[in-house]
Amino acid sequence: MTQLIAPPVPAAPGTTSAPVDASAPVDALGGPWPASARPGRGAADLLVGGVGLAEAAERFGTPLYVLDEAEVRARARSYRRALPHAEVLYAAKAFLCSAMADWVESEGLGLDVCSSGELWLAVSAGFPAQRILLHGNAKSPEELRLARRLRVGRIVIDGPAEIARLAALVAADTPQKVLVRVVPGIAAGHHTAVRTGVGGQKFGFPIEGGDAADAIARVLDQPGLELTGLHCHLGSQITEFEPYLEAVDALVRLLAAVRDRHGVEFPELDLGGGHGIRYLPGDTELDLAEFAVRVTDRLAARCAEAGLSVPRLIVEPGRAIAGPAAVAVYRVLSVKHTADGRSFVAVDGGMSDNPRPALYGSPYTVRLVGRRSEAGQARADVVGRHCEAGDVLVRDAALPADLRPGDLLAMPAAGAYQLSMASGYNLVGRPAVVAVKDGRARLLIRRETVEDFRLREVGR
């Protein structure tokens, strides 16, 4: 079979002819590349965790997700250091596998899960159920029964039906600790689809209008439910700390109202997660140190004003721990030029392993790895292999003008909400995941194959 190889991408009008230096410095301060990322021998490859990305691609195939264990652990430890008196729960929805559960557990973090699948995988991996919090807006009766059977530490009540449903599973002598998820009316997050702290959406009980207060009263009337506090989640990819301060104000007012109405004070206050990271070199990210100081100071001050004991703070970072720790590696399949002057670089992955650009218009940066190019830069859209015009991973990327089929492209900040939201669209299997540490690579999750899809069929 004859392979049609497109010519190199020509330099776009107005672009420079300076060579793309594969050895250009990589941000070593946490993003968008892992802190361990640095040029390899001869500057032709990029090392993550001491492992060359091109070497990993040759060994394990592409698309490939390379996960830096040291980066995950360092980010988990940074939360423990910044918030020593708080409880930190890793948000499994960002990305979960058995190894990830092991790493965060050994670093002293709890786990926040939102399905029976996440719960069962974590417990099967040996994660202590008492350090797990289960949330979700539509928990099935089966999920609640599983949570009770596994003795999950806390369950977040998200809707009216869950109060009676959970109470029916619990005896007064074996109470279930619960939190009530409230909606403080605060808009935060990078996209309307992920702003969960405002009214008019499916999560929680709005404070405004009294739904939250009514839900709290109902839970307190259930002898088998031990209400330990309030929960809220404002949104995702939040890079400023002010929304969290507003949430503290709103939740402390509600805590004081509950104290005045029912004579009880709760020992816990969960502010959720949503902490933003860098996806592009110039992006800002949530300053964890400032967040920790400002939020804890605000909570203490507002509780003092209200005459309340200060509840223990709970936070749920997911993206901020997993996101910068992984790099996605793709192989170029074709380079196409259109009559209107546009160029498209098609790779062997796409929206099935990273739906974020199609869903949210999320931006990414991309880099050639595996060889050094002396060609000038040209602009091109890096597109996926799927039958959708919206399957674009990076728009208007600056890439070497001599890019050709067979080249490898690396995309940082790939650890969160990519594989966790991956699909089997076009029956394209999900990529493999490799852990790297101290120059060694090991397979964590094998590549999904066509045979895996076929084995799910039971008849015709």
Side-chain angles (χ1 to χ4, degrees):
M1 180 180 294
T2 301
Q3 183 181 17
L4 299 178
I5 300 179
V9 181
T15 60
T16 66
S17 59
V20 175
D21 185 0
S23 66
V26 175
D27 183 358
L29 300 177
W33 299 90
S36 68
R38 53 184 42 86
R41 183 180 305 169
D45 200 4
L46 187 67
L47 304 180
V48 173
V51 175
L53 296 181
E55 173 191 347
E58 290 301 322
R59 178 180 171 188
F60 299 102
T62 57
L64 182 67
Y65 280 71
V66 178
L67 181 62
D68 187 341
E69 177 182 344
E71 181 86 9
V72 171
R73 290 182 177 276
R75 287 179 167 270
R77 286 195 296 272
S78 71
Y79 271 88
R80 296 300 315 131
R81 288 194 300 267
L83 294 158
H85 304 297
E87 185 169 5
V88 182
L89 308 177
Y90 171 67
K93 63 183 178 179
F95 172 72
L96 184 65
C97 66
S98 297
M100 180 67 82
D102 289 342
W103 299 342
V104 298
E105 191 273 333
S106 66
E107 296 298 339
L109 273 59
L111 198 64
D112 155 29
V113 302
C114 59
S115 72
S116 57
E118 291 178 354
L119 173 57
W120 188 253
L121 187 149
V123 173
S124 298
F127 202 97
Q130 281 296 314
R131 289 169 57 187
I132 295 177
L133 174 147
L134 172 66
H135 75 92
N137 70 295
K139 306 177 198 69
S140 69
E142 293 75 21
E143 284 176 319
L144 293 176
R145 281 194 289 270
L146 177 64
R148 283 294 294 167
R149 180 163 65 86
L150 296 176
R151 301 184 183 277
V152 162
R154 303 178 195 82
I155 297 175
V156 178
I157 292 178
D158 198 284
E162 289 183 4
I163 300 173
R165 186 174 294 158
L166 185 56
L169 297 174
V170 180
D173 59 345
T174 57
Q176 173 65 57
K177 290 184 178 180
V178 298
L179 303 172
V180 170
R181 179 165 179 172
V182 302
V183 181
I186 298 165
H190 71 104
H191 192 278
T192 55
V194 297
R195 293 173 188 159
T196 55
V198 293
Q201 40 84 21
K202 66 181 184 178
F203 295 104
F205 300 92
I207 295 177
E208 185 178 358
D211 286 357
D214 291 345
I216 291 167
R218 287 186 58 194
V219 174
L220 289 172
D221 283 340
Q222 299 294 333
L225 302 182
E226 180 184 347
L227 183 53
T228 64
L230 304 179
H231 178 287
C232 79
H233 185 77
L234 303 181
S236 293
Q237 188 56 13
I238 303 169
T239 57
E240 303 293 334
F241 58 81
E242 285 85 355
Y244 296 102
L245 302 183
E246 295 177 35
V248 168
D249 293 348
L251 268 61
V252 170
R253 286 194 296 269
L254 181 56
L255 289 174
V258 170
R259 186 267 319 273
D260 295 342
R261 179 178 175 184
H262 300 285
V264 297
E265 293 188 25
F266 299 137
E268 298 176 333
L269 184 65
D270 191 332
L271 286 183
H275 302 168
I277 65 171
R278 299 176 192 166
Y279 284 94
L280 302 177
D283 284 352
T284 59
E285 62 183 3
L286 184 71
D287 186 320
L288 176 57
E290 186 170 17
F291 166 85
V293 171
R294 296 292 294 269
V295 167
T296 53
D297 286 353
R298 185 67 153 256
L299 180 59
R302 292 293 182 259
C303 286
E305 293 169 3
L308 292 166
S309 299
V310 180
R312 187 183 191 193
L313 183 66
I314 302 172
V315 294
E316 302 171 358
R319 183 196 313 265
I321 290 175
V327 176
V329 184
Y330 300 100
R331 192 171 296 279
V332 175
L333 298 180
S334 70
V335 181
K336 178 189 288 186
H337 314 285
T338 61
D340 60 0
R342 300 187 65 187
S343 297
F344 298 92
V345 175
V347 297
D348 55 359
M351 65 189 299
S352 64
D353 68 270
N354 183 8
R356 295 187 69 252
L359 285 174
Y360 310 128
S362 302
Y364 285 85
T365 188
V366 65
R367 175 187 174 103
L368 172 69
V369 296
R371 73 174 177 90
R372 185 182 179 89
S373 173
E374 300 297 334
Q377 289 186 351
R379 295 284 174 176
D381 288 349
V382 179
V383 300
R385 60 175 297 168
H386 300 284
C387 296
E388 298 283 343
D391 183 18
V392 180
L393 291 173
V394 185
R395 294 188 183 276
D396 198 32
L399 290 166
D402 64 349
L403 198 71
R404 53 185 179 260
D407 279 340
L408 294 171
L409 298 180
M411 181 184 297
Y417 301 107
Q418 292 189 200
L419 285 181
S420 66
M421 294 199 295
S423 73
Y425 185 44
N426 294 153
L427 295 188
V428 173
R430 287 170 290 184
V433 180
V434 170
V436 293
K437 181 183 180 183
D438 299 331
R440 296 179 179 271
R442 70 185 191 278
L443 189 65
L444 297 184
I445 302 176
R446 68 168 175 81
R447 189 173 310 282
E448 193 173 31
T449 67
V450 174
E451 183 66 8
D452 291 320
F453 291 116
R454 191 192 66 79
L455 288 174
R456 295 185 63 207
E457 298 187 17
V458 296
R460 58 181 177 180

